[in-house]
Amino acid sequence: MSTSFPLPPECLHMVICHLAVESDRRSLASLLCVNKYLCSATLPVMYADPFRLRLFSVFSMEEPEKPFSLIKLLSLIKSLLLSLPEGQTVTDLLRAAYLHNASVSTSTDDKATAHQEQEAPPSIPATVATMTPIPYYSFLTHVEFEVHSFSEGIFDTPRFPSSSAIRDYLEKNGHVERYTWRDITGHLDYYNRSEIIYQTVSRDLRRDLTWALCVNGAERIQRLVIPISDISRYLAIVGRLQVLSYVTFLLDSDLKPTLFFGQQFEEGDREALELRQGEREGHMEEMILFVQEHCQRFPNTLTQGQCITDMFTTEEWPKEVHDRLFKSLPLLHKPQFIDNTNWGQFFAGAQDIDLSAVKFIRTRLIKPEEPVFDQVIEQVEPFLHRCRALEDVQISSSGEDAFRWAVDERKQFEREIEDGRATPSRRPLVPLRQLHISFDYDPSSGGLFDDTVFAFQETLENIFISISRTVEQNSTQSLEFSIGDNNNSNNYQSYWKLPQLSRLAVATGHIFLRVHPKFLQRCTQVMHISLVDMRWEYSLDQIDHWESAKLLRLESLTLEGTAAISFHPDTLKYALELQKLHLQMVQDEDDFTCFIPPVEELDAIIKGESTTDSGGSDSVDDGKTPSLLAPLARRPVWTWDWELPKLTDMTLIGEHAYRFQFKMLDGTPNLINLSLSIASTTARHQRTIHLKELTKPGSQQQQQQTHDGEEIYQEQQDLEYIFVPTLKHLCLFGSWRITTHVLQTLFSRVAPEISNLVMSSCLGHDFSEWVDATKQYLHGLDVAELQMDVSEEEMADAGLVEPMTGERMCGYRSVGHWLKETPTGRMLETPAWYHVLGT
């Protein structure tokens, strides 16, 4: 313990390790400057895995500029290379790339010597200017340059021949021609030779740097990525890698060239290809020998291994090589996770591995085209029930009965409680918190969902279910995904609830999503809901309407398809935390129209909504529409008068937009984005926005007169309009009829702060009136878009001009028009852009 810093070394080490885990580089750097004691304790932790610390924040808010972070990465590599023992392993290529000021010893007499063999590497000049007194390399425990190393810029050298240092090195040593002809594609594809050279240089840099950092401190290396083409050197030092616990073998090049139309192998190409194939097979044999020898010398030290490919490689590892590697490794010892890093090793010994400590299983993204989860179940046995600490499951195509075992455990536990043999506090069930399942092959009817929520109801926090859109709806049979045990087919013994559920997302594609009417009532703490299917047309009497729920913590609600027309609006009475509300039907991909029920049906609903009874509407039977009102009596009432003080984003598409009442905006004082679309497939749905709709509820109505069929308004100064000062983005799609006076009132009194305006197919005003209204009242307008057939003459008459080429190049927007004269009251220095799209 230091007398100047009285903290036990163990505690100090824990503090520093925590800073490293959190990538708090500023604090770590500060510790280096306190005193020698803290510096000596910090350096081993900071440089154990330094590239993770650097790469973690390449795109952080702290360092948004990548070039600045890249400079730091290159500086780190330079410091590590300069700290290596004199005359050891630093090649000319490394000098040219990272040590530009160091002397480069080139050998032009022996150009035939292959660079990748590196048996007699040149030395660094022993000068004070090129040496650093601190052996940073000796602290390394992780040397892992994988695919991300290219994208983050460590080996992203300037493409040949733009870098003078790299160019001089390649030209003086004859590597340009060697790099080109070493890859058969290089002389078959002349135009891509520069790209081939770039890739080869990058790979050699990675090989050389990995070896230089590993060989000088092999006794400390715990995690290592070995390029398969360089395995021979590592096999020679396997006895020094005594603490290596995780190894990754990297397939770092392609063998077979890409042949374009009309191309053929030249003379000698097939022999060269067979020779390279033989070399590759030899490297893979050495890889297996490396693992076997390490496991024999240091039993139970090397616990995990995997095979991956780099970003330039299109070929895959042979499956038999994968299998041999995993069989050479010891069984996983009480793993806490199963994912792409150890899946193959788990698969090789699934029956014999102790899975009691597994907390999460993530196989969904290993290989989407292969149902790897099902392979274990089919070839070995079901295993989820053996994972007693399971908290997180992310799998694909698990089958409907994947959690039947959990249901049985739950039922047994409930029977024991009834018999007095157990108490809820001693519940021995799996504490599953997150479930993410995608059905990529066979559709699901919802049985797995119900099993899961029943079995893990006390602990579930996040549920994500998706069914591939490639699963088309059967033309002769209506497929449904039911959640909430609609049919009570499982005979569950308890009325379950989900008190911890925070996120619920279900996307069923072309399979109709049916939700139990009381399901949301069971999710009292849910914050985010997304329920989506691809239902297109529907009849109003076919919908099972949900019951209202008190979701006091709800922040975002996205409902599309069946869920949107099943939703009970009274739920919004209690959603004071709601920030995002999206209710929509499926839109056509070509013209962005959607199905809206016939106007007469919707008009009948509106007429019947004169009651405040949440269970339905009092039908107004005038003898004319009894057949329409009768089946709609139980349809929930949309009052559009909710107080949603935190709502910032609202999108309504289809029926909800057609029935929307603008008085709702009086209860959304913080709304920023509003999008309403009534563009229907029949083109029969038209809405007229009257001035009275923009006044606050209870305010004195505007007096108006009619002359020759047009309304003439008499302005009243004391009239109170709805005021939404935060509204920045307004989109109106479809046949909205808005007269000029209403348009002016909307922009001047209701939402004067609009900066982005989109209006498509709107009626009731001409182009010039629309431009004048935006010019006079929207002083902060940035972009305005209108879908209307407008000629250049009409644009000129409205005061719009197309900017000069130079003016367009200076801005970030390259098309459109702007006003010829700056409007009075304009608040922004940049002009507003007007984009007019023909219909």
Side-chain angles (χ1 to χ4, degrees):
M1 184 187 302
S2 170
T3 57
S4 61
F5 197 83
L7 184 67
E10 296 81 4
C11 295
L12 178 60
H13 182 73
M14 291 177 63
V15 171
I16 298 174
C17 288
H18 175 74
L19 295 176
V21 170
E22 297 297 323
S23 295
D24 189 349
R25 295 172 297 122
R26 289 183 179 274
S27 297
L28 291 171
S30 298
L31 290 177
L32 296 176
C33 303
V34 176
N35 56 36
K36 290 184 178 181
Y37 176 70
L38 283 180
C39 182
S40 62
T42 304
L43 279 174
V45 176
M46 191 172 185
Y47 280 88
D49 189 8
F51 295 100
R52 185 194 66 82
L53 279 174
R54 300 287 178 174
L55 292 172
F56 182 82
S57 59
V58 163
F59 294 108
S60 68
M61 295 301 294
E62 177 185 339
E63 294 178 344
E65 297 295 332
K66 183 177 179 180
F68 182 67
S69 295
L70 179 56
I71 292 173
K72 289 190 174 184
L73 287 169
L74 299 178
S75 178
L76 170 62
I77 295 176
K78 182 176 181 179
S79 297
L80 289 170
L81 291 177
L82 292 177
S83 71
L84 292 173
E86 181 180 349
Q88 294 293 321
T89 64
V90 178
T91 65
D92 286 344
L93 181 60
L94 290 177
R95 287 194 184 93
Y98 306 119
L99 306 175
H100 301 298
N101 297 328
S103 299
V104 179
S105 175
T106 58
S107 176
T108 56
D109 297 331
D110 190 14
K111 295 181 181 180
T113 303
H115 174 266
Q116 78 179 64
E117 294 182 3
Q118 311 258 345
E119 299 201 3
S123 60
I124 297 179
T127 63
V128 177
T130 60
M131 297 299 293
T132 177
I134 302 177
Y136 296 110
Y137 78 92
S138 65
F139 304 129
L140 286 171
T141 61
H142 294 57
V143 182
E144 297 179 291
F145 299 122
E146 300 183 29
V147 174
H148 66 262
S149 301
F150 285 98
S151 60
E152 299 297 353
I154 297 179
F155 308 122
D156 189 9
T157 57
R159 302 199 174 195
F160 177 81
S162 59
S163 170
S164 59
I166 295 291
R167 180 190 60 207
D168 293 344
Y169 166 76
L170 296 179
E171 290 180 349
K172 290 180 180 179
N173 290 273
H175 289 309
V176 174
E177 195 69 17
R178 185 177 65 83
Y179 280 163
T180 302
W181 286 87
R182 190 171 71 181
D183 192 321
I184 297 177
T185 306
H187 57 87
L188 291 177
D189 185 5
Y190 174 81
Y191 296 103
N192 285 331
R193 289 185 181 181
S194 178
E195 181 74 16
I196 292 171
I197 295 173
Y198 158 68
Q199 294 179 11
T200 309
V201 171
S202 298
R203 286 168 175 149
D204 280 353
L205 279 173
R206 177 176 54 195
R207 293 172 66 255
D208 290 356
L209 183 60
T210 300
W211 174 252
L213 298 180
C214 174
V215 71
N216 288 285
E219 290 76 12
R220 290 175 54 91
I221 303 301
Q222 300 173 13
R223 296 176 65 100
L224 180 63
V225 175
I226 302 176
I228 188 63
S229 62
D230 206 23
I231 184 62
S232 301
R233 292 198 287 191
Y234 294 88
L235 180 60
I237 64 168
V238 66
R240 296 177 54 198
L241 297 167
Q242 54 195 19
V243 295
L244 183 65
S245 62
Y246 195 117
V247 62
T248 298
F249 297 101
L250 189 68
L251 192 65
D252 56 344
S253 63
D254 285 331
L255 293 184
K256 296 181 180 179
T258 302
L259 294 179
F260 297 95
F261 180 77
Q263 284 186 325
Q264 295 181 352
F265 281 119
E266 295 183 5
E267 184 179 355
D269 285 342
R270 295 189 183 280
E271 292 78 2
L273 183 60
E274 292 177 359
L275 178 62
R276 293 183 61 193
Q277 183 65 43
E279 292 177 352
R280 164 84 50 93
E281 293 174 357
H283 291 153
M284 291 181 177
E285 289 296 328
E286 289 181 310
M287 178 190 77
I288 301 300
L289 183 61
F290 175 92
V291 174
Q292 292 174 345
E293 186 170 343
H294 192 283
C295 292
Q296 182 178 0
R297 292 192 182 206
F298 314 106
N300 299 319
T301 301
L302 183 59
T303 57
Q304 288 184 248
Q306 64 171 334
C307 302
I308 65 173
T309 60
D310 75 7
M311 66 179 297
F312 297 133
T313 303
T314 60
E315 298 174 3
E316 296 290 338
W317 285 85
K319 184 179 182 303
E320 57 273 15
V321 175
H322 275 279
D323 295 340
R324 290 182 62 193
L325 171 65
F326 298 136
K327 290 180 181 179
S328 301
L329 291 167
L331 288 177
L332 295 175
H333 177 66
K334 297 192 72 172
Q336 295 188 11
F337 61 89
I338 299 175
D339 62 5
N340 62 319
T341 63
N342 63 359
W343 176 260
Q345 195 173 349
F346 160 73
F347 183 78
Q351 289 179 316
D352 303 318
I353 297 175
D354 183 357
L355 303 178
S356 60
V358 172
K359 291 186 177 181
F360 65 83
I361 299 175
R362 298 172 183 169
T363 67
R364 191 174 59 88
L365 300 179
I366 294 180
K367 280 192 176 181
E369 69 277 8
E370 295 183 9
V372 292
F373 184 87
D374 290 346
Q375 288 179 356
V376 176
I377 296 178
E378 294 174 1
Q379 300 181 24
V380 185
E381 63 178 8
F383 66 91
L384 284 177
H385 63 285
R386 295 161 51 196
C387 305
R388 305 312 302 173
L390 195 60
E391 297 180 3
D392 186 346
V393 174
Q394 299 184 30
I395 56 180
S396 299
S397 302
S398 60
E400 289 286 76
D401 298 330
F403 289 98
R404 180 60 55 180
W405 58 272
V407 172
D408 295 338
E409 286 188 9
R410 175 80 190 201
K411 290 180 178 180
Q412 177 63 30
F413 176 69
E414 289 184 348
R415 287 193 292 267
E416 292 178 356
I417 291 180
E418 291 179 358
D419 298 339
R421 292 177 293 163
T423 61
S425 61
R426 298 176 58 187
R427 187 168 64 91
L429 302 180
V430 171
L432 189 67
R433 295 186 300 106
Q434 176 162 298
L435 179 72
H436 192 158
I437 296 183
S438 58
F439 294 89
D440 298 328
Y441 303 94
D442 299 322
S444 169
S445 63
L448 180 142
F449 183 96
D450 285 340
D451 286 348
T452 306
V453 297
F454 170 73
F456 310 112
Q457 54 189 274
E458 287 90 354
T459 57
L460 271 176
E461 298 176 5
N462 302 310
I463 300 178
F464 302 89
I465 304 291
S466 64
I467 298 178
S468 174
R469 290 178 180 263
T470 59
V471 180
E472 296 287 347
Q473 181 178 358
N474 191 305
S475 58
T476 61
Q477 181 182 4
S478 178
L479 301 179
E480 288 187 352
F481 183 94
S482 300
I483 65 177
D485 191 29
N486 272 332
N487 302 317
N488 198 27
S489 58
N490 295 316
N491 298 316
Y492 295 150
Q493 298 181 14
S494 65
Y495 178 83
W496 49 264
K497 294 184 178 181
L498 295 169
Q500 302 298 324
L501 188 66
S502 176
R503 292 179 179 270
L504 172 65
V506 181
T508 60
H510 293 276
I511 298 177
F512 291 161
L513 175 61
R514 185 177 296 277
V515 180
H516 191 281
K518 294 185 178 181
F519 180 79
L520 291 186
Q521 294 179 350
R522 308 177 184 185
C523 312
T524 56
Q525 301 299 309
V526 69
M527 299 174 63
H528 306 276
I529 297 177
S530 177
L531 301 173
V532 177
D533 69 8
M534 299 291 289
R535 182 186 286 271
W536 180 251
E537 294 186 355
Y538 60 93
S539 176
L540 297 180
D541 59 355
Q542 296 176 344
I543 307 304
D544 292 333
H545 303 294
W546 304 344
E547 297 185 13
S548 62
K550 293 184 179 180
L551 307 179
L552 303 181
R553 301 184 61 194
L554 186 64
E555 295 182 4
S556 68
L557 178 64
T558 299
L559 305 177
E560 182 174 353
T562 306
I565 52 181
S566 302
F567 177 69
H568 199 296
D570 280 358
T571 302
L572 298 177
K573 290 183 179 180
Y574 313 100
L576 299 181
E577 299 295 320
L578 190 64
Q579 301 173 22
K580 173 184 175 182
L581 175 62
H582 285 199
L583 302 174
Q584 61 189 75
M585 297 308 298
V586 180
Q587 292 181 292
D588 186 270
E589 295 181 355
D590 296 327
D591 58 9
F592 298 101
T593 59
C594 67
F595 171 79
I596 302 179
V599 176
E600 53 270 16
E601 289 190 23
L602 295 175
D603 288 345
I605 294 173
I606 295 174
K607 290 178 181 179
E609 288 183 350
S610 60
T611 179
T612 58
D613 182 8
S614 62
S617 59
D618 294 335
S619 62
V620 181
D621 190 354
D622 58 3
K624 298 180 180 179
T625 58
S627 61
L628 290 176
L629 289 177
L632 306 176
R634 60 187 177 88
R635 190 171 177 83
V637 178
W638 285 77
T639 59
W640 302 101
D641 59 354
W642 312 286
E643 294 291 333
L644 301 174
K646 295 186 178 182
L647 190 69
T648 60
D649 188 352
M650 180 164 62
T651 298
L652 304 177
I653 297 176
E655 174 188 337
H656 298 91
Y658 182 78
R659 303 175 65 195
F660 176 73
Q661 296 179 22
F662 283 84
K663 67 179 181 179
M664 179 181 174
L665 300 180
D666 193 45
T668 60
N670 292 296
L671 191 65
I672 298 175
N673 305 304
L674 174 61
S675 180
L676 304 172
S677 176
I678 58 173
S680 67
T681 53
T682 61
R684 296 179 54 203
H685 297 81
Q686 184 181 115
R687 273 283 307 274
T688 299
I689 302 178
H690 297 286
L691 196 64
K692 63 181 180 180
E693 295 186 61
L694 304 181
T695 59
K696 286 192 174 184
S699 177
Q700 185 178 358
Q701 298 300 320
Q702 191 85 344
Q703 294 182 0
Q704 61 186 44
Q705 298 177 350
T706 303
H707 177 69
D708 294 336
E710 295 187 2
E711 294 178 336
I712 301 176
Y713 298 90
Q714 297 177 358
E715 188 71 36
Q716 297 181 4
Q717 298 299 325
D718 59 346
L719 196 62
E720 259 196 291
Y721 289 97
I722 296 170
F723 182 48
V724 191
T726 58
L727 190 62
K728 296 291 185 181
H729 308 276
L730 175 62
C731 301
L732 296 175
F733 300 95
S735 300
W736 293 94
R737 178 171 290 278
I738 311 174
T739 64
T740 303
H741 187 80
V742 174
L743 194 66
Q744 293 173 345
T745 304
L746 177 63
F747 294 160
S748 63
R749 305 290 292 274
V750 179
E753 301 298 326
I754 292 176
S755 59
N756 290 73
L757 176 66
V758 179
M759 297 179 67
S760 175
S761 304
C762 295
L763 310 170
H765 55 270
D766 60 29
F767 178 70
S768 180
E769 292 169 337
W770 178 75
V771 173
D772 286 341
T774 61
K775 176 175 62 175
Q776 292 181 37
Y777 303 110
L778 299 182
H779 302 309
L781 187 65
D782 186 28
V783 177
E785 182 177 307
L786 181 69
Q787 185 173 356
M788 180 183 292
D789 290 321
V790 181
S791 65
E792 288 295 331
E793 291 77 9
E794 290 175 309
M795 290 188 185
D797 292 340
L800 293 178
V801 296
E802 187 174 358
M804 301 295 290
T805 303
E807 294 173 322
R808 284 190 288 173
M809 293 300 292
C810 293
Y812 61 91
R813 291 157 296 195
S814 59
V815 295
H817 294 72
W818 62 32
L819 291 168
K820 184 177 182 179
E821 299 179 358
T822 302
T824 303
R826 178 69 179 169
M827 298 176 60
L828 302 182
E829 295 182 1
T830 57
W833 284 79
Y834 289 81
H835 301 274
V836 181
L837 308 176
T839 57

